[in-house]
Amino acid sequence: MQPDALLAEPPVLDAAGYQALTGASDAQIADLARYRDLLAEWNEVMNLVGPLTIATYWTRHALDSSQLLALAPDALTWADLGAGAGLPGVVLAILLKGREGAKVHLVESMAKRCRFLEVAAQALDLPVEIHNARAETLKLKIDIVTARACAPMTKLLGFAEPYLHRGATGLFLKGQDVAAELTEARKAWSFASDLLPSQSDPRGRIVQVKRLSRVR
Ligand SMILES: C[S@@+](CC[C@H](N)C(=O)[O-])C[C@H]1O[C@@H](n2cnc3c(N)ncnc32)[C@H](O)[C@@H]1O
């Protein structure tokens, strides 16, 4: 990682800044704002996201999630493992809404977080399927498997293995410890990977993973 990247601060965007940067439509901005309001409302009674991160929603959550679409512009089917409150999956679903064949699988093992996901999906009329399940137990054939803050890389690859084996590409949002996590993961897994820069966090990286197998 470049030393100056370690010093740089993430951009702080409002809705207008986010729209100028991403080209999102007015309808998508309205849906993203509605999702932020739902997050803020439900966060009062349920631990969904760090309360302070609502103030930086457009960078920390909206941009962090939506940047994945530019890396896989033709992908229609996604699975978000450990979706929690729906990050990145709900943001992706908002932006994919209306595209024929689009579907985001939101995979979350905690039932109460799935209740929030059901509310968001209904309020925003999203192309999602919610699975209250452990990610590693599902057998979904999809284009892209993603996750943010779900587990360290070694464990996350175990969750993602069934999806990668069915042909998915992995795009995982990771923080500044990614290099150490990858070194550790290579003790258990053999895989091809690329480290891509994050638009929302100069210290973060997106790990693109293909061809996963266990180290014997
Ligand atoms: C720290 S939260 C992150 C949530 C969200 N991705 C985000 O970035 O805000 C991790 C979530 O992963 C879920 N989780 C952990 N292991 C899982 C598994 N094997 N299958 C499904 N969900 C899992 C947890 O219940 C939790 O909601």
Side-chain angles (χ1 to χ4, degrees):
M1 196 178 294
Q2 297 300 311
D4 53 346
L6 288 169
L7 294 173
E9 284 306 314
V12 178
L13 299 173
D14 57 10
Y18 175 86
Q19 187 169 27
L21 188 67
T22 62
S25 69
D26 290 346
Q28 289 169 334
I29 294 295
D31 276 357
L32 289 167
R34 174 84 180 109
Y35 174 51
R36 179 207 51 202
D37 293 347
L38 285 170
L39 271 178
E41 188 186 321
W42 280 65
N43 224 31
E44 298 285 325
V45 289
M46 186 184 284
N47 180 21
L48 289 174
V49 292
L52 298 179
T53 67
I54 301 281
T56 52
Y57 166 83
W58 292 99
T59 302
R60 177 76 183 80
H61 298 308
L63 182 62
D64 200 42
S65 301
S66 66
Q67 64 181 325
L68 297 174
L69 284 178
L71 302 176
D74 298 327
L76 286 173
T77 53
W78 293 68
D80 177 8
L81 312 187
L87 295 158
V90 165
V91 170
L92 296 172
I94 288 170
L95 298 173
L96 287 167
K97 192 162 110 177
R99 277 178 65 179
E100 199 180 332
K103 169 76 72 79
V104 181
H105 296 269
L106 303 171
V107 186
E108 172 51 53
S109 57
M110 280 179 66
K112 66 178 184 175
R113 290 190 171 153
C114 289
R115 280 210 305 281
F116 171 75
L117 293 173
E118 296 283 1
V119 168
Q122 198 163 19
L124 297 162
D125 190 22
L126 297 179
V128 297
E129 190 169 333
I130 297 158
H131 305 264
N132 182 195
R134 292 202 57 89
E136 60 275 30
T137 65
L138 298 181
K139 293 181 170 54
L140 300 174
K141 182 158 171 43
I142 40 106
D143 296 323
I144 303 288
V145 56
T146 187
R148 186 182 84 166
C150 178
M153 209 65 207
T154 305
K155 211 168 159 186
L156 181 59
L157 289 174
F159 298 162
E161 185 183 23
Y163 308 81
L164 293 164
H165 276 176
R166 286 174 176 76
T169 294
L171 285 177
F172 304 115
L173 291 156
K174 282 288 173 187
Q176 59 186 343
D177 297 333
V178 64
E181 283 192 32
L182 283 170
T183 301
E184 191 59 29
R186 290 194 190 284
K187 295 177 187 168
W189 300 100
S190 170
F191 55 96
S193 67
D194 284 312
L195 267 191
L196 310 169
S198 166
Q199 259 189 299
S200 58
D201 177 2
R203 288 154 290 220
R205 292 291 180 270
I206 299 161
V207 187
Q208 181 170 276
V209 175
K210 290 180 183 167
R211 296 191 302 279
L212 179 76
S213 60
R214 280 180 196 278
V215 170
R216 289 176 194 279

